[in-house]
Amino acid sequence: AQTVTQSQPEMSVQEAETVTLSCTYDTSESDYYLFWYKQPPSRQMILVIRQEAYKQQNATENRFSVNFQKAAKSFSLKISDSQLGDAAMYFCAYRITNFGNEKLTFGTGTRLTIIP
Amino acid sequence: EPEVTQTPSHQVTQMGQEVILRCVPISNHLYFYWYRQILGQKVEFLVSFYNNEISEKSEIFDDQFSVERPDGSNFTLKIRSTKLEDSAMYFCASIMGIAKNIQYFGAGTRLSVL
């Protein structure tokens, strides 16, 4: 079974600084997707960034980027120029690409606090 | 931007009562999901639904749970006889198709079982 591990239950960062959230996963599949979702206090799940396993290039979305290490099964999220609005729970998630098996498997989350 | 809509935002019920949680997925999406998040814990998959039938369900999704898409727009999760441990946030998600790999989530329904 696939598992996703987030070893940092809480992280904090000064506003405008950079922070990296860690995620590792375990799978025997070669083709899959990885995601970071943000859950602010409103508890809505918002997609931050995604990475296809077959792509070697790391995904970036504005201030958000990932460091995808397929051999190490590591998928960390880097947030640059942290803003107060980035404060939230961040969940790493995994999904295989087989037809009919589209479910997401989530990690336990990292609570990110932004210090003004 | 189209979004997944869930109602109600908060549902309070007595133990043993039936509840129906409603979701309106994005209109051209074909695959639908329910997830659950007990307070302070991770989001867990409950069930996926495609072509008017369940594609996959987790061990959490026992005989007390059912899903249906009664009218082509709504996607409902029914819990027949609620237990205290059913108290959680329930998220609906939808995806356009296999090649479109982003699941869009609704804002969730907080279910409180007393």
Side-chain angles (χ1 to χ4, degrees):
Chain A
Q2 291 82 20
T3 58
V4 178
T5 301
Q6 293 180 251
S7 59
Q8 305 155 315
E10 295 185 357
M11 291 283 284
S12 60
V13 63
Q14 293 278 350
E15 194 176 1
E17 296 295 308
T18 295
V19 64
T20 298
L21 309 184
S22 301
C23 172
T24 58
Y25 57 94
D26 186 25
T27 183
S28 57
E29 302 290 334
S30 60
D31 198 12
Y32 48 87
Y33 293 96
L34 295 163
F35 304 84
W36 279 97
Y37 278 87
K38 169 184 177 181
Q39 188 181 44
S42 65
R43 300 193 73 182
Q44 174 137 25
M45 298 291 285
I46 302 166
L47 178 67
V48 175
I49 198 165
R50 62 175 167 153
Q51 174 81 41
E52 292 94 333
Y54 66 87
K55 288 188 177 178
Q56 292 188 335
Q57 187 173 5
N58 289 324
T60 62
E61 288 285 344
N62 301 314
R63 298 183 295 106
F64 299 87
S65 61
V66 299
N67 183 5
F68 173 49
Q69 302 288 328
K70 190 172 184 179
K73 295 179 183 173
S74 169
F75 181 61
S76 60
L77 174 70
K78 185 170 85 170
I79 306 173
S80 304
D81 185 26
S82 299
Q83 300 175 1
L84 294 178
D86 295 333
M89 281 290 285
Y90 285 81
F91 290 97
C92 178
Y94 162 99
R95 205 205 82 203
I96 66 172
T97 57
N98 288 347
F99 180 83
N101 191 350
E102 296 287 311
K103 69 181 180 186
L104 290 169
T105 299
F106 287 87
T108 50
T110 296
R111 182 177 303 281
L112 178 64
T113 301
I114 310 296
I115 303 166
Chain B
E1 185 175 318
E3 59 182 27
V4 176
T5 305
Q6 288 186 243
T7 55
S9 57
H10 189 193
Q11 173 88 48
V12 181
T13 190
Q14 294 290 327
M15 190 170 57
Q17 295 296 304
E18 175 184 285
V19 293
I20 298 176
L21 309 184
R22 290 184 166 80
C23 170
V24 179
I26 296 173
S27 63
N28 59 347
H29 284 193
L30 301 175
Y31 297 80
F32 314 108
Y33 308 83
W34 283 101
Y35 292 86
R36 181 182 81 174
Q37 185 184 30
I38 295 172
L39 186 64
Q41 298 186 23
K42 68 178 177 181
V43 179
E44 300 172 289
F45 168 76
L46 288 177
V47 65
S48 58
F49 191 86
Y50 168 70
N51 199 26
N52 282 320
E53 60 183 26
I54 291 174
S55 305
E56 184 180 357
K57 59 184 180 180
S58 72
E59 59 271 17
I60 302 169
F61 194 89
D62 61 21
D63 292 343
Q64 292 299 312
F65 291 88
S66 62
V67 289
E68 65 174 358
R69 192 161 156 78
D71 56 13
S73 61
N74 291 284
F75 177 51
T76 61
L77 174 70
K78 182 194 290 186
I79 309 175
R80 260 181 273 282
S81 178
T82 50
K83 309 187 205 51
L84 294 176
E85 54 265 36
D86 293 327
S87 295
M89 196 78 166
Y90 289 81
F91 291 102
C92 174
S94 69
I95 192 171
M96 184 184 294
I98 296 300
K100 304 290 183 181
N101 53 56
I102 298 173
Q103 286 192 18
Y104 292 89
F105 283 78
T109 293
R110 182 188 303 274
L111 177 64
S112 299
V113 182
L114 306 178

